[in-house]
Amino acid sequence: MTDTGVTFINVIELPAEAVDEFIVHWRERVARMRSAPGFRDVRLHRALLPDSRFQLVNIAHWDSAEDCRAAGADPIVTASVAEAEKSAVAYPSLYRVVAEYS
Amino acid sequence: MTDTGVTFINVIELPAEAVDEFIVHWRERVARMRSAPGFRDVRLHRALLPDSRFQLVNIAHWDSAEDCRAAGADPIVTASVAEAEKSAVAYPSLYRVVAEYS
């Protein structure tokens, strides 16, 4: 496989009651990032149970780490993230797939 | 969309130097869980950088929450997980996709 794509995973710790508002602003950020070079797709996952530590997990695919970092450095995106982090603790990182079964 | 599938996400905190051995045993567990009813697919993601808090993120899809929980309750799987958790802290939860863009 020669695909050099990367997976961006952001694990987000926030109270279940703060999730709905977080999603509103998340959609605004995504609307901007979707048009950035190298964007492939994104899915936002919400915990089935309200007592899960990480209520949201954002998983996106990008052509490269550089593309993902460049999109995240957009001033409008960083301002929105800073606002979101007032009510959430986020752990964003880049990953590659090391094993896969279906 | 009438698909009732769920996403199992396990966020794993462990030192970068412990990752390779963790993956060996992870593969053994997956070999068993793949044949369980309702299993769809699984991908193990490894952080690009050794200082990311969560070095591994396991993402699997199942037909239902019940199928996923039943597979995880297999005594051989639970024994292997207990062994793995001697050197790792894991945060497993079930999720549903609440937003998706491509």
Side-chain angles (χ1 to χ4, degrees):
Chain A
M1 182 159 112
T2 57
D3 182 7
T4 57
V6 295
T7 303
F8 169 85
I9 302 177
N10 194 6
V11 181
I12 305 159
E13 189 173 1
L14 78 173
E17 59 269 25
V19 167
D20 288 338
E21 185 173 345
F22 187 98
I23 293 176
V24 171
H25 299 290
W26 180 86
R27 286 186 192 274
E28 293 168 1
R29 285 192 291 281
V30 169
R32 189 156 179 97
M33 297 184 80
R34 285 177 75 189
S35 60
F39 174 85
R40 292 185 181 180
D41 59 64
V42 65
R43 279 182 172 178
L44 186 63
H45 300 77
R46 181 174 189 162
L48 294 187
L49 300 177
D51 61 348
S52 290
R53 175 161 178 183
F54 302 113
Q55 283 292 305
L56 293 171
V57 181
N58 177 34
I59 303 174
H61 296 101
W62 291 83
D63 287 348
S64 72
E66 293 67 32
D67 285 336
C68 179
R69 290 185 187 121
D74 175 319
I76 290 179
V77 172
T78 56
S80 176
V81 167
E83 185 64 27
E85 290 186 344
K86 289 180 182 173
S87 57
V89 180
Y91 300 92
S93 281
L94 285 167
Y95 294 82
R96 63 188 166 87
V97 175
V98 291
E100 184 170 13
Y101 298 94
S102 60
Chain B
M1 183 160 113
T2 56
D3 182 7
T4 56
V6 295
T7 304
F8 170 85
I9 303 178
N10 194 7
V11 181
I12 304 159
E13 188 173 2
L14 77 174
E17 58 270 23
V19 167
D20 288 338
E21 185 173 346
F22 186 98
I23 293 176
V24 171
H25 300 291
W26 179 86
R27 287 187 191 275
E28 292 168 0
R29 285 192 291 281
V30 169
R32 188 155 179 97
M33 296 183 80
R34 284 177 76 189
S35 60
F39 175 85
R40 293 184 180 180
D41 59 64
V42 64
R43 281 181 171 178
L44 186 64
H45 300 77
R46 182 175 189 161
L48 295 186
L49 300 177
D51 61 348
S52 290
R53 176 160 177 184
F54 302 113
Q55 284 293 304
L56 293 171
V57 181
N58 177 35
I59 302 173
H61 296 101
W62 291 83
D63 286 347
S64 71
E66 293 67 31
D67 285 337
C68 179
R69 290 186 186 119
D74 174 322
I76 290 179
V77 171
T78 56
S80 176
V81 167
E83 184 65 28
E85 291 186 343
K86 289 180 182 173
S87 58
V89 180
Y91 301 93
S93 282
L94 285 168
Y95 295 83
R96 63 188 166 89
V97 175
V98 290
E100 182 169 15
Y101 299 95
S102 59

